[in-house]
Amino acid sequence: MLALHVLASGSSGNAAVVENVVTGAGVLIDCGICKRDFLSRCDQAGFNPARIEAAFVTHEHGDHVKGLGVVLRGLAKLGCQPPIYVARGCVANSDALAKVAEAFEVHELAAAAGAVATAGADVGAIEAAARASAIEAAGVRVIPFATSHDAAASFGFRIEDAADGDAIGYLTDSGVVTPAAHAALADVRILALESNHDPKMLAAGPYPYVVKQRIASDAGHLSNGQAAAELAALVSASRAAGQREPQTVVAMHISQNNNEYSLAKRTLEAALAEANCAADVLCGYQARLTSAR
């Protein structure tokens, strides 16, 4: 059985831990927060950070990696030195990641991007390619998939319990849901799904026009409506295939300038109600812990 601890989610910093609740071990996804907040929220979650067995980086933007080096050095003092999985292009585009690569064990992270390019919407080919690039740590299987974001490379993750098949889907920082992402997010119990902005609030908000264009683009961030549409599609597809429907949905990377936590939550709840799905909706917050079990 798995638990998702969202330590922080938003444009000022992101970090999450997926815990194998049977063993107490876990994997880290991103770390764009300071060591103090990281350790404090791990403690609030009841998770021992010294049990982190691998770290995964979605992409190189500062809100996802700026705290990684400091946190890894802190973990090393606890006797914890997890391997880091990150795309080579992300390391080349980030001073923070370059320093991490100099000091720690770094491995190439590759998703099924090639399968997406060659197979289009052939879900079977995409799933096969994704599973071929799976990484095992902490008693879980981490399956990376390609996302669509203005980074050197960007990824989401499907995390499966190797013992009982429990699964978590994790997607943030993507302007669209790629075929690889849609395939990977099906049949999960916990779904962490970006619900970044409300289009009307974004259009009327304080950002420069070029930034608004970037956020709303196919290489930007999912809106509330896009997240709701994907959630409904996942429920429908899972139901048709006799697979699990999500029990808990966590709205992620909610903009503090172009969205509201309550609005993102209501939009996803409405999609679930329309689909006759009884999943709970939580929000990942910028400055406090959210745990889903």
Side-chain angles (χ1 to χ4, degrees):
M1 186 69 71
L2 303 176
L4 173 66
H5 306 300
V6 180
L7 309 183
S9 184
S11 57
S12 294
N14 297 271
V17 170
V18 174
E19 178 185 7
N20 182 329
V21 298
V22 174
T23 66
V27 298
L28 174 66
I29 302 175
D30 289 340
C31 192
I33 59 176
C34 68
K35 184 175 73 171
R36 180 196 62 220
D37 289 343
F38 172 81
L39 294 175
S40 172
R41 291 173 198 163
C42 282
D43 184 61
Q44 292 170 31
F47 175 75
N48 178 1
R51 298 299 311 280
I52 290 174
E53 294 190 6
F56 296 84
V57 176
T58 60
H59 64 292
E60 77 272 19
H61 290 168
D63 56 321
H64 293 261
V65 302
K66 62 187 176 184
L68 184 60
V70 173
V71 165
L72 288 172
R73 287 191 288 274
L75 292 179
K77 293 179 181 178
L78 300 175
C80 174
Q81 295 182 311
I84 302 98
Y85 293 88
V86 56
R88 186 179 296 110
C90 293
V91 174
N93 277 14
S94 166
D95 289 342
L97 287 176
K99 292 177 181 177
V100 166
E102 289 175 358
F104 299 97
E105 180 186 352
V106 173
H107 299 270
E108 172 72 3
L109 179 62
V116 175
T118 59
D122 184 339
V123 172
I126 291 169
E127 288 180 332
R131 289 188 176 277
S133 61
I135 298 148
E136 295 196 9
V140 304
R141 183 181 303 109
V142 181
I143 303 168
F145 56 83
T147 60
S148 177
H149 197 54
D150 57 351
S154 60
F155 303 91
F157 302 102
R158 177 185 179 90
I159 305 100
E160 299 176 342
D161 189 317
D164 65 13
D166 193 23
I168 291 174
Y170 191 96
L171 170 64
T172 70
D173 295 76
S174 193
V176 297
V177 180
T178 67
H182 182 75
L185 297 177
D187 191 29
V188 299
R189 184 176 61 86
I190 299 173
L191 175 63
L193 180 63
E194 178 170 61
S195 191
N196 174 258
H197 62 276
D198 172 75
K200 291 182 179 179
M201 290 181 66
L202 176 63
Y207 290 174
Y209 179 68
V210 66
V211 176
K212 294 178 182 181
Q213 283 186 307
R214 170 194 167 269
I215 291 170
S217 75
D218 286 354
H221 296 274
L222 294 178
S223 69
N224 295 340
Q226 287 174 297
E230 173 60 17
L231 179 56
L234 286 168
V235 170
S236 177
S238 295
R239 189 172 291 165
Q243 298 174 327
R244 286 171 294 197
E245 299 174 24
Q247 294 181 8
T248 305
V249 179
V250 185
M252 300 288 287
H253 216 292
I254 297 172
S255 172
Q256 294 179 290
N257 292 313
N258 304 305
N259 208 352
E260 297 175 354
Y261 291 114
S262 59
L263 178 57
K265 187 173 188 289
R266 288 199 308 271
T267 304
L268 296 184
E269 287 175 336
L272 289 168
E274 180 69 20
N276 195 28
C277 177
D280 293 324
V281 179
L282 308 176
C283 291
Y285 292 96
Q286 184 64 87
R288 59 185 171 98
L289 171 74
T290 296
S291 287
R293 298 179 180 273

